[in-house]
Structures are given as structure tokens and as C-alpha cells.
Amino acid sequence: MPLLDHFHPPLHGPRRWEGFHHAWATFIAQQLNQQTLPQGYFAESEISVGPELEIDVAAMKTTGVDSPGQAEDGGAGTTTAVWSPPRPGITAKVEFSHLEGYEVRVYQDLGGAELRAAIELVSPANKDRAGSRRTFAAKCAGYLRLGIGLVIVDVVTARTADLHAELFDVLEATARPAGWKSPTGLYAAAYRPVTVRPEPRLEAWPEALAVGKMLPVMPLWLALDLCVPVRLEESYLATCDSLRISAA
């Protein structure tokens, strides 16, 4: 099954890329669980889209109660004084970037779930502006600094940005990605963080992707000496079949 362009006609429009990414993450996790991961490991898909739900506790009010300490029948209760902090010393306008995520996380069961690896499916929101790109790269860098193996898959044709290079910038790597850049702007890259001394380093396996071409098998590092294959082509085909998307 060749890689399709999910962000431009004829596929874009009747088919939502969000639904495809959601299904693809699910099939990657299923493939890892059923075929690839050793005993004691398991994979789960993680989806985070749109603004996060927040509850403003100060704005909550129980029906029929007009003030703190007053009972619903109007009787007097213990009055609690409303505390107000001083004015803030600093106020700055900030544009917070919400991290939209389509990923698969691999855990090891050690009596509790310990994160060992992650697979990130890039979305357009991860590439649309500098803050979003930096937030995505910082999240990935956080995984690597903890010794967690990582695979990034970017099939977004609607926006151009080199998140692979952005990641190396965030990590402040002494050597940039050896000048590697995908000629199509699409890629998959696997990362193995070697955090042990005396030579901590980051090893990468980048692969250029292209619309109309097959997807590669990527190495997913669960530990320094343990690696499993992520067969992107197999999970991509299963996703297309499940959504009734043909190559034609």
C-alpha cells in the first residue's frame, strides 16, 4: 500500500486525517502487542486533541447557596473570609501552545507501568508555528533525556517544518543531524538515547518518506540492548482497510 496524501484532494475532504491518525495509532499499538513486544511489555495509543478541559473552582457555586458558610435553607453558617492575594508582580502576554498528540506508548510491567518507548505521529498543529514546533520538540527531548526510545513519523503534507532538526536544537546537540534532510519533507526517524557515561549520545535512524512509496520498518528501542521492529507499512495497510480507503 503506497503512502497516500491525507491532506490534499482527492483524499482530503471526504476523509478526515484526524480519524486516520487515530486509527493508525491504534493499529500500531495492536501490531506491537500481538506480534512484536516481548513478555512483560505492552503498548497503548494516546490521543490528545484540542484544548484541555479545565475546571475553575472559584467559579463553582452550589445551587441555592449565596455565600460561603450559608446553608441552603438560609440559616447562618460559619462565615469564611474570602482571601485575595496581592496584585501580581509580573504580567506578561504569552501564547500558550497546546500540544496535540497522536502517539503510541510502550510500557514495561514492573508491578507498575514504566514507560520505555514512544511513537509520535506528527499532526499539522505540531508544525504550524514556532511555539508548536518547539513544544513538540521539547516533549520528544524530554523522552530522550529519560532514556526512552522514540520514533517520529511525519506524513503531513499540508505544512512544512523540520521537526527532526528542531529536536536536535532543543537537545543542544554538539553535532546537528549530519546535514540529513528529507527531500520530500516527509520522514520517519528512530532515536536511541545512550545516557550512560562516559559517552552519552543520541543515535538516529532517519528514513525519507514519499507519497506513492511504501513505508519502512523502523527500530524501536525499549532498552540499550533491546530493540523491536515497527512495521509501518503493515499497520498503515490495516488502517486503510479498516477505513475502506483504497490506493486508487
Side-chain angles (χ1 to χ4, degrees):
M1 181 79 182
L3 176 62
L4 305 174
D5 188 343
H6 297 267
F7 302 89
H8 293 91
L11 189 58
H12 176 67
R15 298 287 186 166
R16 291 168 50 85
W17 70 264
E18 295 93 338
F20 188 89
H21 268 49
H22 191 293
W24 196 9
T26 300
F27 274 104
I28 290 175
Q30 182 183 61
Q31 176 195 92
L32 289 170
N33 286 327
Q34 293 181 349
Q35 304 175 17
T36 306
L37 292 176
Q39 190 70 27
Y41 290 82
F42 64 93
E44 291 182 347
S45 59
E46 293 277 342
I47 311 297
S48 176
V49 184
E52 294 178 329
L53 176 64
E54 295 181 350
I55 299 176
D56 186 353
V57 177
M60 294 178 65
K61 180 181 178 182
T62 304
T63 303
V65 179
D66 295 326
S67 62
Q70 181 178 346
E72 290 191 24
D73 60 3
T78 303
T79 302
T80 303
V82 177
W83 181 79
S84 297
R87 289 182 177 274
I90 299 174
T91 301
K93 186 176 289 187
V94 177
E95 185 177 359
F96 291 102
S97 296
H98 171 74
L99 182 59
E100 182 173 293
Y102 296 81
E103 67 178 338
V104 176
R105 295 181 181 178
V106 178
Y107 298 90
Q108 185 178 12
D109 187 357
L110 297 174
E114 298 286 339
L115 185 62
R116 293 293 181 240
I119 303 170
E120 294 283 344
L121 302 180
V122 175
S123 76
N126 299 144
K127 301 169 70 172
D128 65 352
R129 50 200 170 96
S132 299
R133 295 190 291 271
R134 204 70 175 177
T135 300
F136 178 85
K139 176 188 179 183
C140 293
Y143 283 150
L144 296 171
R145 287 188 176 114
L146 293 174
I148 295 168
L150 177 68
V151 171
I152 297 176
V153 182
D154 185 354
V155 297
V156 177
T157 59
R159 294 188 175 100
T160 58
D162 192 345
L163 296 176
H164 175 67
E166 189 88 32
L167 174 58
F168 275 73
D169 287 339
V170 169
L171 288 170
E172 298 180 346
T174 54
R176 291 300 180 255
W180 186 88
K181 186 177 179 65
S182 170
T184 63
L186 310 179
Y187 70 93
Y191 304 91
R192 177 187 183 230
V194 182
T195 58
V196 296
R197 296 186 183 278
E199 296 183 6
R201 63 191 182 276
L202 177 64
E203 299 173 348
W205 289 259
E207 295 279 353
L209 305 181
V211 173
K213 302 296 183 180
M214 308 292 269
L215 292 163
V217 177
M218 302 301 297
L220 181 65
W221 291 92
L222 307 179
L224 283 176
D225 57 354
L226 179 57
C227 180
V228 296
V230 180
R231 298 180 177 88
L232 293 176
E233 179 65 27
E234 184 177 314
S235 60
Y236 187 83
L237 176 59
T239 306
C240 289
D241 284 345
S242 73
L243 296 176
R244 296 184 176 181
I245 296 175
S246 68

